[in-house]
Amino acid sequence: MYIRNRIKEKDDSTLVSICTQNFEIPSSKIENILNQAHEVLIVCEPNGKIAGFLSYRLRINHMVLVDYVVLDHSVQGKGIARKLLPAFESYVMKQGITTVYGMVDKENQQGIESFKRLGFETKGSFLTNYIIEKKLDQVKEITSNNLHLNVRKLSPVPKLGNR
């Protein structure tokens, strides 16, 4: 498994297909998610086949808020998420990111437990979600020379429902 940057023209149709086949969500919502993301990273199997994606919409200084981690059902349960997190952490640490945030639906006990095993802590709640946080191991000293402020207005995150 490896991650790479999204190539919109090449990848989006596959990402939309994965989401519409695995979740009850219209393709227009997936296209909107992809277009609003600050960055979309493609999750690939060793043979290069797209297995899913990870996206984040908000980056403030040394923190990112991950919106979605979507994996095709055919690769779920094969340890890809456990491999994805270290690859993602390494990628964002090279950009000066020291903290990763996310939200997990309060009813998703399996997801909450999985994130705890991966080093995340529950920091609070917002509406129907728990806010989770992970401080990255190789925290770089943040100085005024390497701060990057890039904020985008957040819109509500659409729910992905299982079929």
Side-chain angles (χ1 to χ4, degrees), residues 73-115:
H73 282 306
S74 67
V75 299
Q76 290 180 8
K78 296 182 179 181
I80 289 183
R82 279 192 309 274
K83 295 174 187 172
L84 171 60
L85 186 61
F88 174 68
E89 289 175 2
S90 175
Y91 176 82
V92 295
M93 282 191 302
K94 290 175 185 171
Q95 298 178 41
I97 301 299
T98 60
T99 308
V100 175
Y101 287 95
M103 291 193 216
V104 180
D105 191 290
K106 290 179 180 178
E107 295 180 12
N108 184 357
Q109 286 301 311
Q110 180 183 0
I112 294 164
E113 291 305 315
S114 293
F115 281 110

mmCIF file of all heavy atoms in Angstrom, residues 73-115:
data_model
loop_
_atom_site.group_PDB
_atom_site.id
_atom_site.type_symbol
_atom_site.label_atom_id
_atom_site.label_comp_id
_atom_site.label_asym_id
_atom_site.label_seq_id
_atom_site.Cartn_x
_atom_site.Cartn_y
_atom_site.Cartn_z
ATOM 1 N N HIS A 73 -14.749 -1.562 -0.119
ATOM 2 C CA HIS A 73 -15.071 -2.725 0.719
ATOM 3 C C HIS A 73 -14.162 -3.908 0.421
ATOM 4 O O HIS A 73 -13.856 -4.697 1.317
ATOM 5 C CB HIS A 73 -16.541 -3.138 0.547
ATOM 6 C CG HIS A 73 -17.493 -2.265 1.300
ATOM 7 N ND1 HIS A 73 -17.380 -2.011 2.647
ATOM 8 C CD2 HIS A 73 -18.588 -1.584 0.885
ATOM 9 C CE1 HIS A 73 -18.353 -1.219 3.030
ATOM 10 N NE2 HIS A 73 -19.104 -0.923 1.989
ATOM 11 N N SER A 74 -13.697 -4.048 -0.803
ATOM 12 C CA SER A 74 -12.862 -5.203 -1.177
ATOM 13 C C SER A 74 -11.509 -5.215 -0.463
ATOM 14 O O SER A 74 -10.870 -6.253 -0.371
ATOM 15 C CB SER A 74 -12.648 -5.237 -2.690
ATOM 16 O OG SER A 74 -11.855 -4.129 -3.097
ATOM 17 N N VAL A 75 -11.077 -4.063 0.071
ATOM 18 C CA VAL A 75 -9.781 -4.012 0.761
ATOM 19 C C VAL A 75 -9.928 -3.799 2.265
ATOM 20 O O VAL A 75 -8.928 -3.812 2.982
ATOM 21 C CB VAL A 75 -8.855 -2.925 0.166
ATOM 22 C CG1 VAL A 75 -8.553 -3.210 -1.292
ATOM 23 C CG2 VAL A 75 -9.440 -1.536 0.342
ATOM 24 N N GLN A 76 -11.150 -3.618 2.733
ATOM 25 C CA GLN A 76 -11.343 -3.415 4.162
ATOM 26 C C GLN A 76 -11.044 -4.703 4.923
ATOM 27 O O GLN A 76 -11.267 -5.799 4.426
ATOM 28 C CB GLN A 76 -12.761 -2.934 4.449
ATOM 29 C CG GLN A 76 -12.988 -1.527 3.952
ATOM 30 C CD GLN A 76 -14.382 -1.012 4.226
ATOM 31 O OE1 GLN A 76 -15.166 -1.633 4.921
ATOM 32 N NE2 GLN A 76 -14.694 0.144 3.671
ATOM 33 N N GLY A 77 -10.499 -4.540 6.120
ATOM 34 C CA GLY A 77 -10.159 -5.686 6.954
ATOM 35 C C GLY A 77 -8.836 -6.328 6.599
ATOM 36 O O GLY A 77 -8.498 -7.394 7.114
ATOM 37 N N LYS A 78 -8.075 -5.696 5.733
ATOM 38 C CA LYS A 78 -6.785 -6.255 5.304
ATOM 39 C C LYS A 78 -5.599 -5.463 5.857
ATOM 40 O O LYS A 78 -4.488 -5.594 5.375
ATOM 41 C CB LYS A 78 -6.713 -6.312 3.776
ATOM 42 C CG LYS A 78 -7.749 -7.241 3.179
ATOM 43 C CD LYS A 78 -7.637 -7.313 1.669
ATOM 44 C CE LYS A 78 -8.688 -8.271 1.121
ATOM 45 N NZ LYS A 78 -8.612 -8.386 -0.333
ATOM 46 N N GLY A 79 -5.849 -4.602 6.833
ATOM 47 C CA GLY A 79 -4.766 -3.853 7.469
ATOM 48 C C GLY A 79 -4.318 -2.613 6.719
ATOM 49 O O GLY A 79 -3.300 -2.023 7.060
ATOM 50 N N ILE A 80 -5.060 -2.224 5.702
ATOM 51 C CA ILE A 80 -4.657 -1.059 4.912
ATOM 52 C C ILE A 80 -4.723 0.216 5.745
ATOM 53 O O ILE A 80 -3.838 1.058 5.674
ATOM 54 C CB ILE A 80 -5.471 -0.950 3.613
ATOM 55 C CG1 ILE A 80 -5.019 -2.067 2.673
ATOM 56 C CG2 ILE A 80 -5.308 0.412 2.962
ATOM 57 C CD1 ILE A 80 -5.655 -2.078 1.326
ATOM 58 N N ALA A 81 -5.753 0.370 6.575
ATOM 59 C CA ALA A 81 -5.860 1.574 7.407
ATOM 60 C C ALA A 81 -4.674 1.683 8.364
ATOM 61 O O ALA A 81 -4.149 2.776 8.590
ATOM 62 C CB ALA A 81 -7.173 1.568 8.180
ATOM 63 N N ARG A 82 -4.242 0.546 8.920
ATOM 64 C CA ARG A 82 -3.072 0.567 9.818
ATOM 65 C C ARG A 82 -1.801 0.973 9.076
ATOM 66 O O ARG A 82 -0.907 1.572 9.643
ATOM 67 C CB ARG A 82 -2.871 -0.805 10.462
ATOM 68 C CG ARG A 82 -3.764 -1.055 11.654
ATOM 69 C CD ARG A 82 -3.334 -2.289 12.418
ATOM 70 N NE ARG A 82 -3.163 -3.477 11.597
ATOM 71 C CZ ARG A 82 -4.127 -4.323 11.269
ATOM 72 N NH1 ARG A 82 -5.344 -4.116 11.672
ATOM 73 N NH2 ARG A 82 -3.871 -5.379 10.538
ATOM 74 N N LYS A 83 -1.706 0.634 7.807
ATOM 75 C CA LYS A 83 -0.545 1.014 7.005
ATOM 76 C C LYS A 83 -0.676 2.442 6.485
ATOM 77 O O LYS A 83 0.318 3.134 6.288
ATOM 78 C CB LYS A 83 -0.379 0.053 5.828
ATOM 79 C CG LYS A 83 -0.051 -1.355 6.241
ATOM 80 C CD LYS A 83 -0.039 -2.276 5.036
ATOM 81 C CE LYS A 83 0.117 -3.719 5.456
ATOM 82 N NZ LYS A 83 -0.050 -4.633 4.325
ATOM 83 N N LEU A 84 -1.922 2.870 6.250
ATOM 84 C CA LEU A 84 -2.168 4.194 5.703
ATOM 85 C C LEU A 84 -1.766 5.290 6.677
ATOM 86 O O LEU A 84 -1.155 6.276 6.281
ATOM 87 C CB LEU A 84 -3.649 4.337 5.342
ATOM 88 C CG LEU A 84 -4.144 5.726 4.938
ATOM 89 C CD1 LEU A 84 -3.409 6.225 3.705
ATOM 90 C CD2 LEU A 84 -5.645 5.704 4.702
ATOM 91 N N LEU A 85 -2.096 5.130 7.942
ATOM 92 C CA LEU A 85 -1.841 6.190 8.911
ATOM 93 C C LEU A 85 -0.356 6.552 8.997
ATOM 94 O O LEU A 85 -0.026 7.732 8.900
ATOM 95 C CB LEU A 85 -2.401 5.830 10.283
ATOM 96 C CG LEU A 85 -2.298 6.951 11.301
ATOM 97 C CD1 LEU A 85 -3.077 8.186 10.860
ATOM 98 C CD2 LEU A 85 -2.772 6.482 12.659
ATOM 99 N N PRO A 86 0.569 5.594 9.142
ATOM 100 C CA PRO A 86 1.984 5.995 9.179
ATOM 101 C C PRO A 86 2.456 6.667 7.891
ATOM 102 O O PRO A 86 3.248 7.606 7.929
ATOM 103 C CB PRO A 86 2.733 4.678 9.414
ATOM 104 C CG PRO A 86 1.727 3.768 10.014
ATOM 105 C CD PRO A 86 0.400 4.183 9.445
ATOM 106 N N ALA A 87 1.944 6.224 6.746
ATOM 107 C CA ALA A 87 2.317 6.854 5.478
ATOM 108 C C ALA A 87 1.807 8.287 5.426
ATOM 109 O O ALA A 87 2.524 9.207 5.009
ATOM 110 C CB ALA A 87 1.766 6.044 4.300
ATOM 111 N N PHE A 88 0.567 8.499 5.887
ATOM 112 C CA PHE A 88 -0.006 9.833 5.925
ATOM 113 C C PHE A 88 0.760 10.719 6.908
ATOM 114 O O PHE A 88 1.078 11.868 6.608
ATOM 115 C CB PHE A 88 -1.491 9.768 6.293
ATOM 116 C CG PHE A 88 -2.127 11.116 6.484
ATOM 117 C CD1 PHE A 88 -2.305 11.967 5.398
ATOM 118 C CD2 PHE A 88 -2.534 11.544 7.734
ATOM 119 C CE1 PHE A 88 -2.893 13.220 5.561
ATOM 120 C CE2 PHE A 88 -3.121 12.790 7.909
ATOM 121 C CZ PHE A 88 -3.292 13.624 6.819
ATOM 122 N N GLU A 89 1.060 10.189 8.087
ATOM 123 C CA GLU A 89 1.804 10.960 9.092
ATOM 124 C C GLU A 89 3.150 11.400 8.555
ATOM 125 O O GLU A 89 3.546 12.555 8.713
ATOM 126 C CB GLU A 89 1.985 10.144 10.365
ATOM 127 C CG GLU A 89 0.719 9.951 11.138
ATOM 128 C CD GLU A 89 0.885 9.038 12.345
ATOM 129 O OE1 GLU A 89 2.021 8.573 12.612
ATOM 130 O OE2 GLU A 89 -0.114 8.773 13.023
ATOM 131 N N SER A 90 3.851 10.501 7.917
ATOM 132 C CA SER A 90 5.157 10.838 7.342
ATOM 133 C C SER A 90 5.009 11.935 6.300
ATOM 134 O O SER A 90 5.798 12.889 6.256
ATOM 135 C CB SER A 90 5.775 9.585 6.721
ATOM 136 O OG SER A 90 6.971 9.892 6.072
ATOM 137 N N TYR A 91 3.994 11.822 5.457
ATOM 138 C CA TYR A 91 3.743 12.805 4.402
ATOM 139 C C TYR A 91 3.497 14.188 4.994
ATOM 140 O O TYR A 91 4.087 15.175 4.554
ATOM 141 C CB TYR A 91 2.550 12.338 3.563
ATOM 142 C CG TYR A 91 2.138 13.322 2.498
ATOM 143 C CD1 TYR A 91 2.815 13.375 1.281
ATOM 144 C CD2 TYR A 91 1.077 14.200 2.701
ATOM 145 C CE1 TYR A 91 2.441 14.276 0.296
ATOM 146 C CE2 TYR A 91 0.697 15.100 1.731
ATOM 147 C CZ TYR A 91 1.386 15.132 0.528
ATOM 148 O OH TYR A 91 1.011 16.033 -0.437
ATOM 149 N N VAL A 92 2.616 14.284 6.001
ATOM 150 C CA VAL A 92 2.282 15.608 6.538
ATOM 151 C C VAL A 92 3.387 16.170 7.432
ATOM 152 O O VAL A 92 3.553 17.386 7.520
ATOM 153 C CB VAL A 92 0.905 15.643 7.254
ATOM 154 C CG1 VAL A 92 -0.211 15.372 6.259
ATOM 155 C CG2 VAL A 92 0.847 14.722 8.447
ATOM 156 N N MET A 93 4.152 15.303 8.095
ATOM 157 C CA MET A 93 5.254 15.804 8.916
ATOM 158 C C MET A 93 6.297 16.515 8.058
ATOM 159 O O MET A 93 6.891 17.494 8.492
ATOM 160 C CB MET A 93 5.895 14.676 9.725
ATOM 161 C CG MET A 93 5.065 14.296 10.937
ATOM 162 S SD MET A 93 5.887 13.188 12.112
ATOM 163 C CE MET A 93 6.276 11.780 11.130
ATOM 164 N N LYS A 94 6.492 16.042 6.835
ATOM 165 C CA LYS A 94 7.424 16.700 5.916
ATOM 166 C C LYS A 94 6.958 18.108 5.563
ATOM 167 O O LYS A 94 7.737 18.923 5.123
ATOM 168 C CB LYS A 94 7.597 15.870 4.646
ATOM 169 C CG LYS A 94 8.348 14.584 4.873
ATOM 170 C CD LYS A 94 8.395 13.746 3.624
ATOM 171 C CE LYS A 94 9.041 12.404 3.910
ATOM 172 N NZ LYS A 94 8.910 11.480 2.787
ATOM 173 N N GLN A 95 5.660 18.381 5.760
ATOM 174 C CA GLN A 95 5.094 19.700 5.495
ATOM 175 C C GLN A 95 4.980 20.537 6.769
ATOM 176 O O GLN A 95 4.359 21.593 6.764
ATOM 177 C CB GLN A 95 3.709 19.544 4.868
ATOM 178 C CG GLN A 95 3.740 18.827 3.538
ATOM 179 C CD GLN A 95 2.336 18.668 2.983
ATOM 180 O OE1 GLN A 95 1.521 19.579 3.058
ATOM 181 N NE2 GLN A 95 2.043 17.517 2.436
ATOM 182 N N GLY A 96 5.549 20.054 7.874
ATOM 183 C CA GLY A 96 5.514 20.801 9.125
ATOM 184 C C GLY A 96 4.283 20.577 9.972
ATOM 185 O O GLY A 96 4.064 21.271 10.958
ATOM 186 N N ILE A 97 3.469 19.598 9.618
ATOM 187 C CA ILE A 97 2.268 19.291 10.394
ATOM 188 C C ILE A 97 2.671 18.501 11.637
ATOM 189 O O ILE A 97 3.439 17.543 11.545
ATOM 190 C CB ILE A 97 1.250 18.487 9.553
ATOM 191 C CG1 ILE A 97 0.831 19.261 8.310
ATOM 192 C CG2 ILE A 97 0.042 18.062 10.390
ATOM 193 C CD1 ILE A 97 0.159 20.591 8.574
ATOM 194 N N THR A 98 2.129 18.918 12.799
ATOM 195 C CA THR A 98 2.449 18.239 14.054
ATOM 196 C C THR A 98 1.237 17.606 14.723
ATOM 197 O O THR A 98 1.389 16.804 15.635
ATOM 198 C CB THR A 98 3.089 19.226 15.049
ATOM 199 O OG1 THR A 98 2.157 20.282 15.307
ATOM 200 C CG2 THR A 98 4.382 19.785 14.492
ATOM 201 N N THR A 99 0.038 17.970 14.274
ATOM 202 C CA THR A 99 -1.178 17.451 14.902
ATOM 203 C C THR A 99 -2.212 17.132 13.832
ATOM 204 O O THR A 99 -2.428 17.919 12.913
ATOM 205 C CB THR A 99 -1.777 18.491 15.878
ATOM 206 O OG1 THR A 99 -0.763 18.915 16.787
ATOM 207 C CG2 THR A 99 -2.939 17.902 16.661
ATOM 208 N N VAL A 100 -2.843 15.964 13.977
ATOM 209 C CA VAL A 100 -3.902 15.541 13.073
ATOM 210 C C VAL A 100 -5.185 15.423 13.881
ATOM 211 O O VAL A 100 -5.204 14.797 14.938
ATOM 212 C CB VAL A 100 -3.571 14.183 12.416
ATOM 213 C CG1 VAL A 100 -4.728 13.686 11.562
ATOM 214 C CG2 VAL A 100 -2.297 14.274 11.597
ATOM 215 N N TYR A 101 -6.243 16.063 13.371
ATOM 216 C CA TYR A 101 -7.562 15.987 13.983
ATOM 217 C C TYR A 101 -8.510 15.277 13.041
ATOM 218 O O TYR A 101 -8.295 15.254 11.832
ATOM 219 C CB TYR A 101 -8.134 17.396 14.240
ATOM 220 C CG TYR A 101 -7.466 18.116 15.372
ATOM 221 C CD1 TYR A 101 -6.413 18.991 15.127
ATOM 222 C CD2 TYR A 101 -7.891 17.932 16.681
ATOM 223 C CE1 TYR A 101 -5.788 19.670 16.162
ATOM 224 C CE2 TYR A 101 -7.264 18.605 17.725
ATOM 225 C CZ TYR A 101 -6.221 19.473 17.462
ATOM 226 O OH TYR A 101 -5.608 20.130 18.491
ATOM 227 N N GLY A 102 -9.567 14.739 13.610
ATOM 228 C CA GLY A 102 -10.617 14.133 12.818
ATOM 229 C C GLY A 102 -11.887 14.063 13.631
ATOM 230 O O GLY A 102 -11.907 14.443 14.808
ATOM 231 N N MET A 103 -12.943 13.596 13.012
ATOM 232 C CA MET A 103 -14.213 13.399 13.702
ATOM 233 C C MET A 103 -14.720 12.003 13.401
ATOM 234 O O MET A 103 -14.606 11.530 12.270
ATOM 235 C CB MET A 103 -15.230 14.437 13.263
ATOM 236 C CG MET A 103 -14.899 15.820 13.745
ATOM 237 S SD MET A 103 -16.301 16.903 13.524
ATOM 238 C CE MET A 103 -15.468 18.416 13.101
ATOM 239 N N VAL A 104 -15.257 11.372 14.440
ATOM 240 C CA VAL A 104 -15.821 10.037 14.305
ATOM 241 C C VAL A 104 -17.229 10.073 14.886
ATOM 242 O O VAL A 104 -17.423 10.580 15.997
ATOM 243 C CB VAL A 104 -14.969 8.987 15.055
ATOM 244 C CG1 VAL A 104 -15.577 7.601 14.915
ATOM 245 C CG2 VAL A 104 -13.538 8.991 14.556
ATOM 246 N N ASP A 105 -18.179 9.545 14.149
ATOM 247 C CA ASP A 105 -19.559 9.497 14.623
ATOM 248 C C ASP A 105 -19.612 8.771 15.968
ATOM 249 O O ASP A 105 -18.980 7.725 16.147
ATOM 250 C CB ASP A 105 -20.425 8.768 13.593
ATOM 251 C CG ASP A 105 -21.898 8.912 13.885
ATOM 252 O OD1 ASP A 105 -22.370 8.324 14.886
ATOM 253 O OD2 ASP A 105 -22.581 9.617 13.126
ATOM 254 N N LYS A 106 -20.357 9.319 16.908
ATOM 255 C CA LYS A 106 -20.449 8.748 18.249
ATOM 256 C C LYS A 106 -20.975 7.319 18.239
ATOM 257 O O LYS A 106 -20.671 6.537 19.136
ATOM 258 C CB LYS A 106 -21.342 9.623 19.137
ATOM 259 C CG LYS A 106 -20.716 10.943 19.495
ATOM 260 C CD LYS A 106 -21.661 11.775 20.351
ATOM 261 C CE LYS A 106 -21.026 13.119 20.704
ATOM 262 N NZ LYS A 106 -21.950 13.955 21.505
ATOM 263 N N GLU A 107 -21.764 6.968 17.243
ATOM 264 C CA GLU A 107 -22.311 5.614 17.157
ATOM 265 C C GLU A 107 -21.316 4.616 16.558
ATOM 266 O O GLU A 107 -21.561 3.416 16.587
ATOM 267 C CB GLU A 107 -23.597 5.630 16.343
ATOM 268 C CG GLU A 107 -24.705 6.412 17.017
ATOM 269 C CD GLU A 107 -25.982 6.435 16.202
ATOM 270 O OE1 GLU A 107 -26.101 5.665 15.233
ATOM 271 O OE2 GLU A 107 -26.870 7.237 16.542
ATOM 272 N N ASN A 108 -20.205 5.097 16.026
ATOM 273 C CA ASN A 108 -19.213 4.235 15.380
ATOM 274 C C ASN A 108 -18.179 3.765 16.409
ATOM 275 O O ASN A 108 -17.030 4.186 16.391
ATOM 276 C CB ASN A 108 -18.539 4.995 14.227
ATOM 277 C CG ASN A 108 -17.580 4.129 13.446
ATOM 278 O OD1 ASN A 108 -17.341 2.969 13.754
ATOM 279 N ND2 ASN A 108 -17.000 4.722 12.416
ATOM 280 N N GLN A 109 -18.606 2.888 17.313
ATOM 281 C CA GLN A 109 -17.713 2.416 18.370
ATOM 282 C C GLN A 109 -16.498 1.682 17.817
ATOM 283 O O GLN A 109 -15.396 1.819 18.340
ATOM 284 C CB GLN A 109 -18.480 1.516 19.358
ATOM 285 C CG GLN A 109 -19.402 2.282 20.262
ATOM 286 C CD GLN A 109 -18.657 3.316 21.100
ATOM 287 O OE1 GLN A 109 -17.645 3.047 21.721
ATOM 288 N NE2 GLN A 109 -19.164 4.549 21.104
ATOM 289 N N GLN A 110 -16.679 0.924 16.744
ATOM 290 C CA GLN A 110 -15.544 0.217 16.139
ATOM 291 C C GLN A 110 -14.515 1.212 15.627
ATOM 292 O O GLN A 110 -13.317 1.038 15.823
ATOM 293 C CB GLN A 110 -16.024 -0.686 15.006
ATOM 294 C CG GLN A 110 -14.888 -1.440 14.330
ATOM 295 C CD GLN A 110 -15.377 -2.282 13.162
ATOM 296 O OE1 GLN A 110 -16.569 -2.311 12.839
ATOM 297 N NE2 GLN A 110 -14.460 -2.968 12.525
ATOM 298 N N GLY A 111 -14.970 2.285 14.981
ATOM 299 C CA GLY A 111 -14.055 3.308 14.481
ATOM 300 C C GLY A 111 -13.327 4.019 15.600
ATOM 301 O O GLY A 111 -12.117 4.252 15.522
ATOM 302 N N ILE A 112 -14.052 4.345 16.658
ATOM 303 C CA ILE A 112 -13.431 5.030 17.800
ATOM 304 C C ILE A 112 -12.347 4.158 18.409
ATOM 305 O O ILE A 112 -11.224 4.620 18.679
ATOM 306 C CB ILE A 112 -14.515 5.406 18.841
ATOM 307 C CG1 ILE A 112 -15.458 6.461 18.252
ATOM 308 C CG2 ILE A 112 -13.880 5.895 20.145
ATOM 309 C CD1 ILE A 112 -16.757 6.625 19.023
ATOM 310 N N GLU A 113 -12.645 2.878 18.617
ATOM 311 C CA GLU A 113 -11.646 1.955 19.191
ATOM 312 C C GLU A 113 -10.456 1.788 18.258
ATOM 313 O O GLU A 113 -9.306 1.721 18.711
ATOM 314 C CB GLU A 113 -12.292 0.601 19.512
ATOM 315 C CG GLU A 113 -13.280 0.658 20.653
ATOM 316 C CD GLU A 113 -12.680 1.236 21.937
ATOM 317 O OE1 GLU A 113 -11.557 0.852 22.309
ATOM 318 O OE2 GLU A 113 -13.341 2.087 22.565
ATOM 319 N N SER A 114 -10.709 1.732 16.962
ATOM 320 C CA SER A 114 -9.606 1.594 15.999
ATOM 321 C C SER A 114 -8.682 2.806 16.063
ATOM 322 O O SER A 114 -7.463 2.662 16.075
ATOM 323 C CB SER A 114 -10.153 1.454 14.576
ATOM 324 O OG SER A 114 -10.842 0.247 14.436
ATOM 325 N N PHE A 115 -9.264 4.009 16.109
ATOM 326 C CA PHE A 115 -8.439 5.212 16.180
ATOM 327 C C PHE A 115 -7.662 5.283 17.489
ATOM 328 O O PHE A 115 -6.516 5.729 17.507
ATOM 329 C CB PHE A 115 -9.280 6.474 15.964
ATOM 330 C CG PHE A 115 -9.583 6.737 14.517
ATOM 331 C CD1 PHE A 115 -10.866 6.593 14.025
ATOM 332 C CD2 PHE A 115 -8.569 7.118 13.645
ATOM 333 C CE1 PHE A 115 -11.145 6.825 12.689
ATOM 334 C CE2 PHE A 115 -8.836 7.357 12.308
ATOM 335 C CZ PHE A 115 -10.119 7.210 11.828
#
